[in-house]
Amino acid sequence: MAYNNKPFNYMDKQSSFFFISREGDAYSETFKRVRMMPLYSFPHYKDLNPFQSNKKERYFLHLDFDAFYAQVEQRDNPKLRGKPVAVGSSPGGKGIVMTASYEARALGIDTGISMYEAKKICPSLIDLPCYGAKYESILQNIQKELRSYVPEEFIEQYSIDECFIELTHVAKDWDEVRHLAHCIKFRILEIENLTVSVGCSWNKTYAKIATKLRKPDGLTVITPADKDRIYALPVKKMWGIGTRTERRLSLFGIKTIGDLAESDEYILKREFGINGVVFRKLARGEDTSGIFHKQQAEKCLSHQHSLSEAIYRSEDLQNELRRIAEYICRKLRDKELLAGSMFLTLRYENLKYAGDEIRLRTYTNDDREIYEYALELLRRFPKPRKSLRGRAFGIAVFNLLPDRRRGNLELFEQKTPVPYYTLDKLKYKYGEGIIRVGLGRV
């Protein structure tokens, strides 16, 4: 059955498109970081409806692409198949491992470690840059395909390579759930030549755990009768529980998910607050949360960029602030918003921070105005110099309102309007270099 496919708002454009290259060469124009902001919705207590019974006839799938970035690169370059590959490098041998192929993982390469450290562990490691636009394009294509199985309100994009799908309204029993899971796996392999691991259960928590039981390219179904399989797993297999929480739980003799499920709720609440109650409920299979969609309007937009080479010259500082200002303003216009306040942060090479905020005279999404305010805030900070260079810059805008496109909001100053929305369309269609507004120097 095909559904009326209205695209997700946050997937209308590739987020990496808004990023402006610092170097201006073909390499940096192509290999951009993934800029899509995932939802990362860990169930909160308010999501666990105490008045809703634990409906065991609910059906959820959790899709987790196997070493997504690395798998894409191995798919596109057959010479990389069967070899240890890590994605996330940058010129000069810097960067962190964003994902590693299973061949690299077998040699001890973990996500999050520096590329330098990874090379020490595995000298034969093939390090590749992140091709953000390509990964986001693949995700868009897969999202479109998933909406042919269920309406968009039953799909939750958890991260760039994970999502939840609720099948309660399209499957009548576990056999149909398993069949649909196989169909989705086959379809993704058919259209993108990528494998995905799938977990199926009656709640999101167990579905996410089930995915990890058989990777890569696995399919695991956990029914209420299979709860003992979950109970036998280490407690750290449950989402929301990291190394430190695992250590604290072990002090109370809680080492498995089953131990957590049978633990004393009062003790957990005393030690972990309301999260302790949530942990226990999730372990017991009492996750009554549904598919999460962001309902609230945007409260803040921000962008921070760390430079490969620290800067201090006035021209370099201005250019960096200009790029960040343009990025933020294009995001504001894409969401049809105006900002009333902004915050500028600067991290120096010695890791010290400076930050300050300013209330804007009028609500705006004008590149020139945000840039001017950024320069004004920069003057309040210790001036970067050769012995104190700037390494990372960031701008956050908040106090947001809808953009009614009413033109000049200044009472006492006449301004020449710039058709930014039209310029944005041109850039999206023809590329960043097609046109650019001169912001001047201050």
Side-chain angles (χ1 to χ4, degrees):
M1 175 182 286
Y3 294 91
N4 183 17
N5 295 334
K6 183 179 72 172
F8 291 103
N9 291 333
Y10 55 85
M11 291 303 297
D12 283 347
K13 295 184 177 70
Q14 294 179 10
S15 298
S16 59
F17 161 75
F18 296 98
F19 180 71
I20 301 170
S21 165
R22 269 56 180 171
E23 292 77 11
D25 55 18
Y27 180 94
S28 54
E29 282 292 336
T30 301
F31 299 109
K32 300 178 181 179
R33 297 283 185 179
V34 174
R35 300 281 164 179
M36 189 196 86
M37 293 303 292
L39 296 176
Y40 288 127
S41 173
F42 173 77
H44 298 282
Y45 185 75
K46 60 181 175 61
D47 300 320
L48 308 180
N49 188 346
F51 303 105
Q52 178 181 341
S53 62
N54 184 24
K55 294 184 178 181
K56 296 184 178 178
E57 69 270 22
R58 298 172 82 199
Y59 306 117
F60 290 92
L61 299 185
H62 176 253
L63 275 61
D64 187 357
F65 287 90
D66 306 315
F68 181 48
Y69 302 158
Q71 186 185 175
V72 170
E73 299 303 334
Q74 289 179 319
R75 176 199 71 177
D76 295 343
N77 185 354
K79 293 181 180 179
L80 298 177
R81 294 172 190 171
K83 297 180 180 179
V85 173
V87 174
S89 69
S90 56
K94 298 180 180 179
I96 63 169
V97 177
M98 300 176 68
T99 191
S101 66
Y102 283 94
E103 295 85 359
R105 296 181 190 188
L107 297 173
I109 306 301
D110 293 323
T111 301
I113 66 174
S114 69
M115 202 62 74
Y116 174 77
E117 185 181 354
K119 282 282 193 177
K120 286 172 62 178
I121 297 172
C122 178
S124 62
L125 181 70
I126 302 171
D127 57 313
L128 302 172
C130 178
Y131 200 160
K134 177 167 67 172
Y135 308 142
E136 290 178 5
S137 177
I138 292 169
L139 178 62
Q140 286 178 328
N141 194 28
I142 291 172
Q143 286 283 350
K144 180 180 178 181
E145 193 63 35
L146 291 178
R147 292 196 292 274
S148 69
Y149 291 91
V150 294
E152 71 171 75
E153 57 263 32
F154 297 112
I155 303 174
E156 175 185 333
Q157 189 65 40
Y158 180 72
S159 70
I160 186 70
D161 61 347
E162 293 182 64
C163 74
F164 290 100
I165 303 175
E166 184 172 1
L167 298 179
T168 306
H169 301 282
V170 296
K172 64 181 180 181
D173 55 34
W174 290 107
D175 289 335
E176 283 198 11
V177 171
R178 189 185 294 272
H179 173 70
L180 282 170
H182 274 296
C183 289
I184 290 172
K185 280 173 61 66
F186 176 78
R187 185 59 181 152
I188 291 172
L189 184 64
E190 184 179 41
I191 64 173
E192 290 291 350
N193 194 24
L194 296 172
T195 64
V196 60
S197 295
V198 180
C200 317
S201 193
W202 76 93
N203 64 75
K204 287 165 61 179
T205 298
Y206 278 18
K208 185 169 172 61
I209 295 173
T211 307
K212 308 296 182 183
L213 297 181
R214 191 175 297 169
K215 285 181 70 72
D217 197 21
L219 171 60
T220 305
V221 178
I222 298 293
T223 69
D226 302 320
K227 186 183 283 189
D228 288 343
R229 291 184 65 186
I230 301 295
Y231 275 18
L233 297 173
V235 72
K236 66 179 179 181
K237 292 291 185 181
M238 204 174 75
W239 64 349
I241 296 182
T243 303
R244 291 187 179 182
T245 303
E246 180 191 18
R247 239 184 258 132
R248 290 174 64 189
L249 288 169
S250 68
L251 297 176
F252 300 95
I254 299 174
K255 298 184 181 300
T256 67
I257 294 177
D259 295 336
L260 181 58
E262 302 300 330
S263 60
D264 188 296
E265 183 175 330
Y266 171 78
I267 294 177
L268 289 176
K269 187 173 182 180
R270 185 188 66 195
E271 293 296 323
F272 300 95
I274 198 64
N275 282 338
V277 178
V278 174
F279 290 152
R280 183 174 181 272
K281 284 184 173 293
L282 300 187
R284 293 167 65 88
E286 296 173 0
D287 178 3
T288 55
S289 63
I291 294 299
F292 175 82
H293 286 294
K294 192 173 183 178
Q295 301 294 336
Q296 291 182 329
E298 299 281 357
K299 294 183 179 179
C300 173
L301 292 176
S302 64
H303 176 57
Q304 180 165 318
H305 182 75
S306 295
L307 297 164
S308 56
E309 298 293 335
I311 58 176
Y312 69 94
R313 293 187 178 88
S314 178
E315 183 178 357
D316 294 334
L317 297 171
Q318 291 171 357
N319 286 336
E320 180 60 21
L321 291 182
R322 169 178 175 165
R323 293 184 187 102
I324 298 177
E326 288 185 17
Y327 181 98
I328 285 292
C329 289
R330 285 167 70 179
K331 275 291 191 182
L332 283 168
R333 292 191 294 270
D334 185 60
K335 297 174 182 291
E336 298 189 337
L337 294 172
L338 299 169
S341 302
M342 69 171 285
F343 192 91
L344 177 70
T345 59
L346 166 58
R347 179 168 63 83
Y348 296 94
E349 202 168 23
N350 62 2
L351 301 184
K352 289 187 177 180
Y353 272 89
D356 203 354
E357 66 179 79
I358 190 171
R359 178 75 180 235
L360 313 186
R361 281 189 304 172
T362 60
Y363 285 84
T364 185
N365 56 22
D366 189 309
D367 297 9
R368 301 168 299 177
E369 294 179 22
I370 295 297
Y371 171 65
E372 298 282 347
Y373 284 117
L375 289 174
E376 181 179 337
L377 288 172
L378 182 64
R379 296 189 195 101
R380 303 178 187 178
F381 302 164
K383 186 176 181 180
R385 51 191 183 275
K386 196 168 185 178
S387 60
L388 186 67
R389 305 183 185 216
R391 172 66 70 177
F393 297 79
I395 291 178
V397 291
F398 51 100
N399 191 13
L400 306 179
L401 290 179
D403 184 3
R404 307 297 184 191
R405 306 195 193 186
R406 293 174 180 168
N408 184 21
L409 298 179
E410 290 277 5
L411 279 176
F412 306 107
E413 184 179 348
Q414 290 297 320
K415 287 193 173 182
T416 303
V418 176
Y420 281 113
Y421 282 95
T422 302
L423 299 183
D424 292 343
K425 290 179 181 178
L426 287 173
K427 290 180 180 181
Y428 189 72
K429 186 172 182 178
Y430 297 107
E432 180 65 30
I434 190 67
I435 192 169
R436 198 175 187 190
V437 175
L439 300 186
R441 290 284 185 273
V442 175

